[in-house]
Amino acid sequence: AEHFNIDPDKIVMLGLSAGAYLVVMAHLSHDIPELGTTDFPEELHDIDEEVLGIIAHYGPYDFRNPGRGPAAMLTRIYLPKDKADDTEFLEMASPIVHANCAAVPIQLIHGAEDKLVPVKESRALGDALQNAGKEVEVHVIEGADHAFQMDWSGEYNRESNQHMNAFLSKLWEREL
């Protein structure tokens, strides 16, 4: 942070698609040893992992019932091949199961017409977080498909940016 002149108290993690899964899971599961890594360089072991918030766009958050269709495809894409049928691992690897572990506000953004990752993934995680008493915002962008940011100046990306700007403003105001 010092090298890049970054305020370490104002870090917000952002992820899209697989990255959304990763930022949400990294935050919710940092106290689950089975999902941790042991190969971090020694100098990183004492780095503070706290962030101010999480922004996640159109990610998959529930692998517990892979079956067929999108859930099966998502399981094959995102999780290790040797774990595809391991129900215990699939549950542990599902952010929705760990909603009660959220310690910061989370914003979920998803396109209503997403054909790769169903919008129900963000809605269900949002419900789980809300039911756990956590601070969450869910924004469904009508008409948007997966990876709508590919049209950088498009209306879906502009709407998403408005939601993110408002979220970031609220988070940073708390820090003043």
Side-chain angles (χ1 to χ4, degrees), residues 6-22:
I6 295 170
D7 184 342
D9 294 325
K10 292 187 177 180
I11 293 176
V12 175
M13 290 196 300
L14 166 69
L16 312 175
S17 195
Y21 168 78
L22 292 172

Side-chain angles (χ1 to χ4, degrees), residues 50-69:
E50 292 299 315
V51 295
L52 198 55
I54 307 288
I55 301 173
H57 290 226
Y58 43 80
Y61 308 114
D62 190 353
F63 297 106
R64 294 174 296 174
N65 300 303
R68 296 176 184 227

Side-chain angles (χ1 to χ4, degrees), residues 5 11 18-19 29 34 53 55-56 58 60 69 75 80 104 108 133 136 140 145-146 155 157 162 167 170 174-175:
N5 196 27
I11 293 176
S29 69
E34 298 87 352
I55 301 173
Y58 43 80
T75 303
V104 298
L108 304 171
V136 61
V140 176
D145 196 353
H146 197 76
E155 75 175 89
N157 197 44
Q162 289 173 349
F167 184 73
K170 282 191 291 186
R174 291 178 185 180
E175 291 298 300

Side-chain angles (χ1 to χ4, degrees), residues 96-115:
I96 197 166
V97 172
H98 310 290
N100 63 325
C101 297
V104 298
I106 296 176
Q107 182 184 65
L108 304 171
I109 298 176
H110 214 115
E113 305 303 321
D114 194 326
K115 293 171 193 68

